[in-house]
């Protein structure tokens, strides 16, 4: 596995991964691609490359994209930790359960200068376990029902 920095020219691949990152449980309909144009979602990719943007794409040995992780300073659903960048992470289905998400998370943490925050679907147990494994803790449940999690920067 190798990592490549997310560039502005990667926006279409970035959007593919962000659609996956907007996880839905089996009992809910999948998001349609149009959701990527919602202002709150566009914040994750629009004008990528601003100061503070950090992102990596994981590639397989045969040079196929496997997953993406990124952090960006953007609006927050909560006031607490709103000064931390928010992360998004996604792995193509054929690579899930192979350690790609853990490798991406470790790589981002190693390249982050601040703490990190995220929101997670309350039914996404696998994602929550991953986040907790890397030191994220729940600090609030937003009125939408989505737990908000934070990982403080360690020195």
């Amino acid at each position: 596995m190798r990592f490549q920095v997310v560039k502005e020219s990667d926006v279409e691949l970035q959007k593919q991964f962000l659609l996956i990152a907007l996880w839905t449980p089996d009992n809910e309909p999948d998001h349609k691609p149009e959701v990527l144009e919602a202002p709150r979602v566009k914040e994750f990719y629009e004008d990528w490359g601003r100061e503070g943007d950090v992102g990596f794409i994981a590639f397989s040995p045969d040079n196929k994209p496997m997953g993406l992780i990124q952090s960006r300073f953007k609006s927050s659903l909560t006031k607490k930790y709103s000064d931390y960048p928010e992360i998004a992470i996604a792995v193509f289905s054929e690579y899930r359960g192979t350690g790609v998400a853990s490798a991406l998370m470790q790589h981002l943490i190693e390249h982050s200068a601040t703490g990190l925050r995220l929101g997670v679907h309350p039914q996404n147990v696998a994602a929550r376990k991953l986040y907790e494994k890397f030191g994220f803790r729940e600090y609030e449940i937003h009125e939408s029902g989505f737990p908000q999690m934070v990982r403080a920067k360690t020195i």
Side-chain angles (χ1 to χ4, degrees), residues 52-95:
D53 286 349
V54 179
F56 302 100
I57 301 168
F59 285 89
S60 67
D62 56 349
N63 214 32
K64 292 182 181 168
M66 300 186 298
L68 170 138
I69 193 164
Q70 65 176 58
S71 68
R72 178 173 239 196
F73 291 96
K74 56 181 283 310
S75 67
S76 177
L77 293 176
T78 64
K79 290 186 189 219
K80 197 169 186 181
Y81 302 111
S82 62
D83 57 333
Y84 284 10
E86 186 169 345
I87 71 166
I89 183 171
V91 174
F92 283 139
S93 60
E94 61 267 32
Y95 299 106

Side-chain angles (χ1 to χ4, degrees), residues 37-52:
E37 297 305 315
R40 193 142 157 67
V41 178
K42 281 178 88 168
E43 283 187 87
F44 279 101
Y45 66 85
E46 195 169 53
D47 299 321
W48 184 262
R50 299 186 315 219
E51 184 177 342

Side-chain angles (χ1 to χ4, degrees), residues 10-21 36 65 90 92:
D10 294 321
V11 69
E12 290 308 314
L13 182 58
Q14 195 177 19
K15 287 164 73 174
Q16 285 180 49
F17 281 117
L18 289 170
L19 192 59
I20 295 167
L36 295 169
F92 283 139

